[in-house]
């Protein structure tokens, strides 16, 4: 079974191999070991057994998208505190509302910028919050925007 959080391990889930490999190179420069998954189903299988230090998921993947993965992670006691960063091709109001609704810890627009990614990891590792804000009143009004 799971032996607790794996420090310096990052789960990277994206259906594009080039994106997975690029993000893996970015995080390797900071000493992180990456676990690569090509879809949401593979990511969930990994998460059933292991607890990475961070999760980086693509908002739009086959089997299960990154938003759904984040939503599930935040509902599981063992995984709840693992920071989740969602990546997406565009940053619009609908996407940002969805990212906030599933209580993601960070958001990065593709192509992922190395500086922004590493900054997000440092901020989250220090227990601080990224630019995403979590207003409980906002959460109550976001559900309709996801339909």
């Amino acid at each position: 079974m799971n032996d607790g959080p794996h420090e310096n391990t990052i789960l990277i889930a994206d259906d594009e191999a080039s994106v997975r490999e690029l993000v893996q190179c970015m995080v390797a420069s900071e000493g992180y070991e990456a676990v690569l998954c090509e879809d949401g189903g593979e990511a969930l299988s990994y998460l059933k057994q292991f607890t990475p230090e961070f999760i980086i998921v693509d908002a739009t993947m086959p089997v299960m998208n990154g938003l759904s993965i984040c939503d599930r992670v935040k509902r599981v006691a063992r995984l709840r505190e693992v920071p989740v960063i969602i990546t997406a091709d565009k940053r619009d109001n609908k996407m940002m509302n969805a990212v906030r609704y599933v209580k993601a810890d960070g958001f990065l627009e593709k192509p992922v910028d190395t500086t922004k990614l590493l900054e997000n990891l440092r901020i989250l590792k220090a227990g601080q919050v990224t630019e995403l804000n979590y207003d409980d009143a906002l959460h109550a009004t976001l559900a309709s925007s996801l339909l």
Side-chain angles (χ1 to χ4, degrees), residues 15-84:
D15 55 325
E16 295 179 55
S18 60
V19 173
R20 286 192 307 271
E21 292 164 10
L22 178 64
V23 174
Q24 178 183 26
C25 287
M26 291 175 183
V27 302
S29 71
E30 294 290 306
Y32 289 102
E33 180 183 330
V35 174
L36 305 180
C37 299
E38 62 183 55
D39 63 45
E42 205 175 298
L44 276 185
S45 292
Y46 174 83
L47 291 169
K48 284 180 182 174
Q49 295 183 348
F50 303 103
T51 306
E53 186 174 356
F54 295 101
I55 300 171
I56 301 172
V57 290
D58 179 25
T60 57
M61 287 186 295
V63 181
M64 177 174 280
N65 68 46
L67 296 166
S68 296
I69 290 171
C70 182
D71 186 54
R72 285 191 179 198
V73 162
K74 296 302 181 181
R75 294 172 190 267
V76 175
R78 173 178 59 84
L79 300 171
R80 186 174 295 135
E81 299 303 317
V82 176
V84 178

Side-chain angles (χ1 to χ4, degrees), residues 127-140:
Q128 300 169 339
V129 295
T130 62
E131 73 279 354
L132 290 176
N133 58 13
Y134 299 110
D135 178 349
D136 288 336
L138 177 65
H139 285 300

